[in-house]
Amino acid sequence: MTTAQIIDLHRIRLPDGTPVSRALPSRRQRLVGSLNGLQSPVAVHSPLMAADLRCTADGEVRLPLNPAFEYALVVLDGSAETAAGAIDDNRFCALAAGGSESELVFRARAGSRLLLIGGEPFGEEIVMWWNFVGRSHQEIADARADWENTAPRFGEVADCRERIAAPRTLRPR
């Protein structure tokens, strides 16, 4: 079992002693998982990380990468650019595990907000559709049917709103 936590990057220092918060053109970053050796006591079931990056100045951001993780950098507001190209509300940057990059480098404009998520790759192919993750199209179809029939595997949530129906279109890949 791996641990995770929300860590304020103001506590993390670069090798030369500079606080990361001063080295990044960003007001506040929060982290789930581990970064630079800091980890949380909160139990999770797989190694993972997530950082909320809020840029307050135009500039370049450099973040260390775990070579065993795959990553996705998603723009929540604004825009950013990596060596691979621009990232905006229609595109994200994906980095495969085992790559040669030891850090993620991107440029962002002031006011941009990005989400970096990462973790160990699954050991098998997966199928993702709507709110479901499975190993095959049939598992997804079964999950959709169970959702629509309010099967106990999904539990109940007390809420004043109606249950959201799964989309009708389900195409095999």
Side-chain angles (χ1 to χ4, degrees):
M1 191 170 285
T2 303
T3 59
Q5 80 176 24
I6 296 175
I7 301 171
D8 190 335
L9 288 182
H10 296 278
R11 294 179 23 211
I12 300 172
R13 302 203 176 266
L14 297 174
D16 67 359
T18 305
V20 170
S21 60
R22 277 193 257 154
L24 302 177
S26 181
R27 179 174 56 84
R28 184 172 180 185
Q29 301 83 29
R30 290 177 299 227
L31 174 74
V32 175
S34 64
L35 180 67
N36 288 354
L38 296 178
Q39 287 186 243
S40 163
V42 177
V44 295
H45 299 284
S46 64
L48 55 88
M49 66 80 56
D52 178 1
L53 309 169
R54 298 170 189 229
C55 301
T56 58
D58 294 356
E60 183 175 90
V61 177
R62 294 177 171 270
L63 297 172
L65 297 177
N66 178 338
F69 282 14
E70 58 187 1
Y71 291 92
L73 181 64
V74 180
V75 171
L76 303 176
D77 290 309
S79 63
E81 188 163 342
T82 69
I87 310 168
D88 56 28
D89 58 354
N90 292 314
R91 296 177 193 88
F92 71 95
C93 176
L95 297 154
S100 60
E101 299 90 358
S102 62
E103 64 181 1
L104 171 63
V105 180
F106 66 91
R107 294 191 58 77
R109 305 225 15 120
S112 294
R113 183 174 174 213
L114 298 98
L115 174 66
L116 176 66
I117 57 175
E120 290 183 347
F122 291 112
E124 58 190 315
E125 288 292 316
I126 61 166
V127 179
M128 294 178 11
W129 180 81
W130 194 55
N131 289 329
F132 308 124
V133 178
R135 291 177 291 276
S136 69
H137 175 78
Q138 188 59 52
E139 282 188 5
I140 298 298
D142 292 345
R144 183 189 183 284
D146 286 350
W147 176 261
E148 291 303 305
N149 293 314
T150 61
R153 79 186 250 193
F154 291 111
E156 290 188 35
V157 177
D159 195 338
C160 62
R161 295 170 285 191
E162 289 184 37
R163 183 182 182 100
I164 298 171
R168 292 182 189 172
T169 304
L170 177 60
R171 296 182 191 120
R173 39 177 196 161

